[in-house]
Amino acid sequence: MTSQQSPEDLWCQLQPDARHALSNLLAEITDHNNSGQRNPQSLFEAYTYAKDITARAIQSRMLMHLPSENKKFRELHAEVQRQMFGRYAETVPGNLLKAPYGGKTYERLFSLLQENQAQPVPAAMLRIATGDDVHTERRARELRELGFDLAWYELDGINVYELRSLDIDLGMIPAIVRNKVRQSKSLNMEEKLRILKRAGISIDG
């Protein structure tokens, strides 16, 4: 999805193409059902195009439904940031005290989960919001690393995610800082261990 166009504009733009692509796919399926000996290449091409254009159309429609900004997400993320600085500003370098996972993708995931709070949300729904089939579930689980009250489990063989409350577990703060220190590429192992020890954060977690 481009930043130049609003979800509303994209939805209006992509609807006709999606309808055409799905109609063409249905025609191809019917033709191949009636003639099983045909080369399936045209069917595969119709499916690939329909899948792509429909996914983009449905994503734009979902983003029309979700808020462009989520005040609660920003509030909770800011609290994590405040806690990190409040607890460790004197012992951990400031560049390692920036709360992770605050980008637009995480905000969209939170918005969808919040809208369905205390209800299971299929992973496929989350993938629509992000337009990403590969990294979406990892990003959803990263919200839990921030202390969000998020559970994931299988329901009838489907991965689902559930935001159980709007509470945040501030007990996750040391683990967040530990991960930031560990992931730093500007520090060697000895420096990382020294920072964690000075901050009173266990090395293993």
Side-chain angles (χ1 to χ4, degrees):
M1 178 164 299
T2 62
S3 58
Q4 289 78 17
Q5 290 180 284
S6 68
E8 291 84 356
D9 289 343
L10 277 171
W11 172 241
C12 291
Q13 175 187 316
L14 294 172
Q15 274 188 77
D17 291 339
R19 284 197 299 267
H20 173 74
L22 290 170
S23 296
N24 185 52
L25 176 60
L26 180 58
E28 286 287 340
I29 291 172
T30 301
D31 287 348
H32 280 77
N33 185 49
N34 294 333
S35 178
Q37 302 304 313
R38 282 185 56 189
N39 186 321
Q41 186 62 30
S42 61
L43 174 62
F44 300 155
E45 291 174 354
Y47 168 73
T48 300
Y49 178 65
K51 181 180 179 183
D52 175 68
I53 195 70
T54 304
R56 290 193 286 135
I58 297 302
Q59 183 197 26
S60 66
R61 182 62 186 87
M62 179 175 281
L63 295 185
M64 285 171 57
H65 179 65
L66 297 177
S68 57
E69 246 183 64
N70 188 301
K71 183 178 179 181
K72 189 63 179 179
F73 176 80
R74 290 294 150 204
E75 175 187 312
L76 293 173
H77 194 267
E79 180 59 25
V80 173
Q81 181 74 81
R82 282 193 295 272
Q83 290 286 332
M84 289 173 69
F85 270 96
R87 298 186 192 189
Y88 299 108
E90 296 182 3
T91 55
V92 177
N95 64 312
L96 299 177
L97 293 177
K98 182 178 180 182
Y101 314 139
K104 206 66 183 174
T105 296
Y106 297 99
E107 187 172 3
R108 287 173 179 172
L109 289 173
F110 178 84
S111 292
L112 181 56
L113 291 162
Q114 182 187 23
E115 182 183 61
N116 298 278
Q117 186 178 331
Q119 299 289 333
V121 179
M125 289 283 286
L126 299 179
R127 290 194 289 270
I128 293 173
T130 65
D132 186 342
D133 288 340
V134 179
H135 303 293
T136 296
E137 291 191 63
R138 172 176 58 80
R139 287 172 172 165
R141 290 191 291 270
E142 285 168 344
L143 289 174
R144 191 166 187 264
E145 292 180 26
L146 279 179
F148 286 58
D149 189 10
L150 178 64
W152 65 91
Y153 51 92
E154 276 196 12
L155 184 64
D156 297 329
I158 297 173
N159 282 349
V160 298
Y161 293 79
E162 182 181 331
L163 185 66
R164 292 182 167 170
S165 76
L166 296 180
D167 297 331
I168 191 161
D169 180 6
L170 297 177
M172 297 294 290
I173 299 299
I176 296 171
V177 175
R178 178 173 55 240
N179 289 338
K180 295 285 287 186
V181 173
R182 281 177 170 176
Q183 293 163 8
S184 173
K185 295 180 179 179
S186 63
L187 299 171
N188 60 40
M189 183 55 68
E190 185 180 339
E191 290 170 324
K192 292 177 182 180
L193 294 176
R194 187 165 55 246
I195 288 170
L196 291 174
K197 183 177 181 180
R198 187 168 64 235
I201 298 174
S202 64
I203 296 170
D204 300 316

